[in-house]
Every structure is written in C-alpha cells, then in structure tokens.
Amino acid sequence: MSTAPSDPGASTAGGLLQLFRDGEPRTRARLAQLTGLSRPTVAQRIDQLIDLGLIAPVADAASTGGRPSAQLAFNPRARVVLAADLGALHARVAVTDLRGELLAEISTPREISSGPDAAISWILDSAEELLPGLGYDVSHVAGVGIGVPGPVEFSTGRPINPPIMPGWDRFDIPSAIRARIDAPVLVDNDVNIMALGELATSWSGVTDLIFVKVASGIGAGIISGGSLRRGANGAAGDIGHIALARAADTPCPCGNRGCLEAVASGRALARALSTDETPLHRPSEVVALAKAGDVHAIQLIRQAGRDVGEVLTACVSIMNPSAIVIGGTMAQAAEHLVAGVREVVYARSIPLSTEQLTIAPSLAAGNAAIYGAAQLAIDAALAPERIAAALGG
C-alpha cells in the first residue's frame, strides 16, 4: 500500500527544490522523511536538480557512529537574476544571485519621462556590461524583475495610464526585455516591489505591513496575511491621490485637486521651498536643506509627515497592520518625516489598532526596490513549473 507524501508539493524536482531554498543542507534520507517520498524517487529528483546546477554536495554530516551521510544544499550561484528599479528621476540595475545577494550594480540619474525604448535599452546594455565581470552572460540570467513608478497590470507587465510616465501606457515591457534575454520578466509598481524587498530583508515574521514611499510622488505597498495585495486592477496602495482637506485647492499632476501628493511629496516640498535665487527640483535637495538645519525645510517635512499620517490613520483602521515603514528619498530625513506620521497616527487611531503598531523608517533603505525586484525574479525562476520546463516537461 502506497503512502502519500508528507509534502505533496515536493513530489516533483521543482517542489523538492523549495525545501532547499532556506539554505539548510539536508541528506537524501532526511528529504525522504520530510516528503514521504521513496528513497529512489528522492534520488531521481536530486539528480535532476544537480544536473541543473541548482543543488550541490556539501561537507559530510557529522557522524553519529556509522558512515557520515553526504549532504546537499542549494547553489545560489548556479544562475543570476536582474533587478531593475526605474524611478521618476533615477534608474538602477543590479545583478543578484538566486538568494538575492547583490553582486554588482549600475545606477544613474534618468527621467522616466524619457520613454520606454531608451529605458529598456539602458537596462539591457547595463546587464551586458555587468555580467561578464561576474563570470556570467545573458544565457545565465534566470529571471528579470523590474519596478516602475506607476500602476502596472501585473499579469502582463504593462503600465496602465501611469500619470508620470508619458509614452509608457500599455507598453509591453516583458516582450521588450525578452527580445534579448530568454527568461521570465516580472514588472510591478515600484512601491509594491519596495514592500516585498523590505519584508524579505528586514521584517521576518511580520504578516501585515504597509510600506509608504515618499519621494517625487507618494504611494504604498500593502502586505496582508503575508502576501502582497495589488487589488483588482493593480492600483491598490495609491494613497498619494487620496483627498486631503487642507490641500483642497492645490492642483495635482494627476489632474485632480487636493491630493496628498500635491502638498506632501518631495516634488511639492521642493516647489514650496524654491525661490527665484535658489530653485529646487528634486526631493534630495529638500533633504539636503533639512540636514543643513534649514528650519523652513524641517517644518515642511514634519507637516508632510502629518499629512501622510492623516491618510494612514484611515488605512490603520481598515487594515490593522503591525508595521508601517516609511521609505523613499524623503525618508532620508526620517527623524522629521516619521515623527510627523507618528504624531497623527498614534493620536487619531483607536488604541487597539496601535497597541502593537511600529512606525519606522525603512531598514532596507535605498536597496528595498532592488531586493524586491530580485525576489520577484527569483520566485518566478525557481517556481516548480519553471523547473519542470527546464527538465523538458
């Protein structure tokens, strides 16, 4: 009489690989115990994964009296992934291994408004510049993850009516990348990707988190029950265009008036601090003023935090997160921005919802988007169905 596997998902080579992704070495005997599969079946699956280079033998296990058993472990350097972070005013491409460790990167000031063709060419050219120095070429790229500063139809990887991305509407980013790289391509809103990166690297065990990016614009990535929530059309977390009472008459780049982004974003603060003698254009310039002790800049950043906090108070009541993480360029002035958020959220939310709520600046900081994009690509590259395809079915 046959016994069903303890972990039915591990019955294929790709399913068995998932057990190795925690980095812990295991013996064939231990794998048979964990999965309920027969030893010959485990041996067959192991041989398939070794052939793909995804697992490899490591030092023998400590002896318990008999002959030591050979251990096997995940090989994160078997392939690499590309992670790209395209912001409103910057672009960054990185190469990571299959565990998400950053191996090399290129970054440059670049405006997203320059259009998709130039941006995609830059990503691909940057990849071909980075890979040889690491001993890889494009054939070793197992997946590509990309974050963009606008709404994305995740199933197709196409931006949908992005307000600050002229020329990108419904542009087929995955197809453009796959013209030169034969690998799965995952595209998402940059804040969603930052939320994934922050969760994976800095908030182990947290299942309900809101990541708020305050930079040229404002948006949020929502993690609920341990999963990213994109919404019906990929627009979940677009808090920058929630109406704010004190901004009622202020025009927003989206075409409406009174949006949070119109008064609390880094772009709005730069505009408010500009003078004829000293025009400001970037959030980083606002941060620099605050760090230099400019009282007006500090006051505006603190008020921006209060404005963001007012919107987040409603989010806390709806979602009851255990962590709110503030990232983006303006989080470089976290002592002022986060203080404003805390001031309002803790004062205006019900005690039960804030009893165990942490409000903190991003721990992954400038790497959050790259880590998140890499994680998207890794999960796609190592999915059981992808491994099955690599094995010919």
Side-chain angles (χ1 to χ4, degrees):
M1 180 176 176
S2 65
T3 301
S6 303
D7 182 358
S11 61
T12 64
L16 192 64
L17 176 63
Q18 308 312 310
L19 296 177
F20 283 100
R21 290 181 61 188
D22 64 2
E24 180 183 340
R26 293 177 174 88
T27 63
R28 289 171 172 82
R30 179 58 178 154
L31 289 166
Q33 292 173 350
L34 289 171
T35 63
L37 299 171
S38 68
R39 290 199 180 195
T41 299
V42 168
Q44 180 190 42
R45 303 290 183 258
I46 290 297
D47 288 344
Q48 290 174 322
L49 294 173
I50 289 175
D51 287 344
L52 292 176
L54 293 172
I55 63 171
V58 294
D60 285 347
S63 175
T64 57
R67 187 177 66 181
S69 299
Q71 291 185 312
L72 300 141
F74 181 49
N75 177 19
R77 297 294 175 93
R79 304 283 294 280
V80 292
V81 300
L82 293 181
D85 170 28
L86 301 180
L89 301 172
H90 75 271
R92 185 180 179 197
V93 170
V95 180
T96 82
D97 66 13
L98 295 177
R99 195 170 284 148
E101 181 180 342
L102 190 62
L103 303 179
E105 65 172 288
I106 294 176
S107 60
T108 185
R110 168 179 281 278
E111 296 190 7
I112 197 71
S113 58
S114 63
D117 292 327
I120 299 302
S121 293
W122 180 82
I123 290 174
L124 293 168
D125 291 345
S126 297
E128 292 182 348
E129 179 180 339
L130 291 171
L131 289 166
L134 299 170
Y136 300 98
D137 58 40
V138 292
S139 69
H140 295 107
V141 175
V144 182
I146 302 175
V148 298
V152 173
E153 184 178 62
F154 184 71
S155 61
T156 66
R158 297 170 185 256
I160 304 297
N161 298 319
I164 63 168
M165 299 172 63
W168 287 80
D169 185 31
R170 303 186 186 277
F171 181 82
D172 191 349
I173 298 175
S175 290
I177 294 291
R178 285 196 295 264
R180 284 164 63 180
I181 298 178
D182 182 19
V185 180
L186 289 300
V187 185
D188 206 343
N189 174 267
D190 59 350
V191 190
N192 285 345
I193 284 192
M194 293 172 82
L196 288 174
E198 187 75 24
L199 184 70
T201 60
S202 307
W203 296 87
S204 176
V206 171
T207 59
D208 297 273
L209 175 149
I210 300 175
F211 184 95
V212 183
K213 177 186 177 184
V214 185
S216 296
I218 299 175
I222 300 170
I223 306 291
S224 179
S227 299
L228 181 66
R229 304 301 178 183
R230 296 184 175 89
N233 299 306
D238 194 9
I239 66 170
H241 299 288
I242 292 177
L244 191 70
R246 84 172 190 89
D249 297 325
T250 306
C252 179
C254 74
N256 287 328
R257 288 179 175 270
C259 297
L260 171 66
E261 193 170 297
V263 294
S265 67
R267 194 190 300 269
L269 298 186
R271 186 167 56 248
L273 288 166
S274 289
T275 64
D276 292 339
E277 296 76 20
T278 311
L280 302 183
H281 305 286
R282 297 174 178 268
S284 58
E285 295 171 319
V286 178
V287 171
L289 279 179
K291 289 185 173 181
D294 185 287
V295 175
H296 190 202
I298 291 171
Q299 289 174 337
L300 286 180
I301 293 171
R302 179 71 176 245
Q303 181 57 48
R306 294 188 190 102
D307 292 335
V308 172
E310 183 172 334
V311 169
L312 287 176
T313 298
C315 299
V316 167
S317 295
I318 293 169
M319 182 183 155
N320 187 204
S322 56
I324 293 175
V325 180
I326 311 297
T329 306
M330 295 307 303
Q332 295 173 28
E335 67 271 32
H336 310 300
L337 185 68
V338 175
V341 174
R342 288 173 176 156
E343 178 184 333
V344 174
V345 172
Y346 287 138
R348 297 178 61 172
S349 300
I350 62 171
L352 181 61
S353 64
T354 57
E355 183 177 343
Q356 298 182 349
L357 174 63
T358 299
I359 302 175
S362 168
L363 299 176
N367 287 326
I370 287 296
Y371 289 147
Q375 195 62 51
L376 269 184
I378 291 166
D379 288 343
L382 300 183
E385 58 271 21
R386 186 72 183 177
I387 301 303
L391 292 169

